[in-house]
Amino acid sequence: MGQIGIVQTFDALFLIEFVTIYYLLNRKVSNLKINKDTIKQLLLLNTFKSIVDFIASDEIVEQGIIGSTLDIKDKQFMRFMEDKIKKISADVRILSNSIYLLENFEEKSNKMISYCNDIKYMVLSSMLMLAITLIPFGDNFIILTLGFVIGLEIIGMYYSILALILYREIKNDYTKIISKNTNK
């Protein structure tokens, strides 16, 4: 077994590891695809709840209508509005966080699914290119092909890590929403 055989063996082992990680990632992505609508509905309900809480928590709109109807002077009305806005800043932050979680979930889940699809094609390309290296085309061609395969596998592993990080972030966000709703 020469040096090229050793590199082929190393690459085959690396490919096995890459395929294993892809399999685990694909299972997580399939779970996400199945539950994506449910998670999105929960996030939409949480956002809607935040909007309703924000509107119902203070009578700022009601007081604004009354103030304009009773012809309260602008300075008095502005002071009133300033006091009310300071009091509802926490509600605004909660509303903003709810909307952010919803948009963030959409972005992260779409990225994760896209990464998984890209990884699938990298796995297939790596397998095909590794099979090509078994055909004796010459040492230079085999070395070039092995370098390309190893590079593809490294990029695929990087994408796998990114996808797993996104999955963990989605799970953490979902857990925050669930725990927040069950504590009330």
Side-chain angles (χ1 to χ4, degrees), residues 44-78:
L44 280 170
L45 283 172
N46 186 52
T47 303
F48 181 72
K49 179 184 172 294
S50 297
I51 290 171
V52 169
D53 288 347
F54 173 72
I55 292 173
S57 70
D58 226 343
E59 65 264 352
I60 192 165
V61 175
E62 180 183 315
Q63 293 294 337
I65 293 171
I66 292 172
S68 64
T69 308
L70 296 177
D71 196 27
I72 296 177
K73 295 182 182 176
D74 286 336
K75 287 187 179 186
Q76 289 175 337
F77 181 68
M78 293 306 286

Side-chain angles (χ1 to χ4, degrees), residues 12-183:
L13 292 173
F14 201 62
L15 182 62
I16 291 169
E17 182 180 355
F18 181 42
V19 169
T20 304
I21 290 173
Y22 170 71
Y23 173 74
L24 295 172
L25 177 65
N26 198 33
R27 289 187 60 185
K28 292 186 181 303
V29 167
S30 63
N31 286 339
L32 180 66
K33 285 179 182 178
I34 291 170
N35 296 319
K36 187 175 180 180
D37 290 337
T38 305
I39 295 169
K40 189 173 178 181
Q41 287 174 357
L42 178 66
L43 290 169
L44 280 170
L45 283 172
N46 186 52
T47 303
F48 181 72
K49 179 184 172 294
S50 297
I51 290 171
V52 169
D53 288 347
F54 173 72
I55 292 173
S57 70
D58 226 343
E59 65 264 352
I60 192 165
V61 175
E62 180 183 315
Q63 293 294 337
I65 293 171
I66 292 172
S68 64
T69 308
L70 296 177
D71 196 27
I72 296 177
K73 295 182 182 176
D74 286 336
K75 287 187 179 186
Q76 289 175 337
F77 181 68
M78 293 306 286
R79 270 189 246 124
F80 167 77
M81 291 294 285
E82 183 179 354
D83 291 341
K84 289 295 182 182
I85 288 174
K86 287 178 182 176
K87 288 180 183 175
I88 62 170
S89 65
D91 292 337
V92 171
R93 272 189 233 113
I94 291 171
L95 176 60
S96 174
N97 288 339
S98 298
I99 293 170
Y100 173 76
L101 285 174
L102 177 63
E103 291 173 350
N104 205 17
F105 169 74
E106 279 291 317
E107 180 184 336
K108 286 179 182 178
S109 62
N110 290 338
K111 272 186 185 179
M112 187 176 164
I113 291 168
S114 174
Y115 286 161
C116 195
N117 288 333
D118 292 346
I119 293 166
K120 175 176 60 176
Y121 295 120
M122 286 182 207
V123 166
L124 293 174
S125 298
S126 294
M127 287 178 172
L128 179 64
M129 296 300 282
L130 187 59
I132 289 174
T133 64
L134 298 175
I135 302 170
F137 283 121
D139 290 348
N140 290 336
F141 178 77
I142 292 173
I143 290 171
L144 180 68
T145 306
L146 284 172
F148 180 73
V149 171
I150 291 171
L152 249 164
E153 291 169 352
I154 290 171
I155 292 169
M157 296 289 268
Y158 174 73
Y159 274 31
S160 299
I161 291 168
L162 287 178
L164 289 171
I165 289 170
L166 287 172
Y167 181 80
R168 189 187 68 194
E169 289 174 0
I170 289 170
K171 188 175 177 182
N172 287 343
D173 291 345
Y174 181 73
T175 305
K176 285 179 194 175
I177 297 298
I178 293 294
S179 66
K180 185 175 89 171
N181 288 333
T182 56
N183 289 339

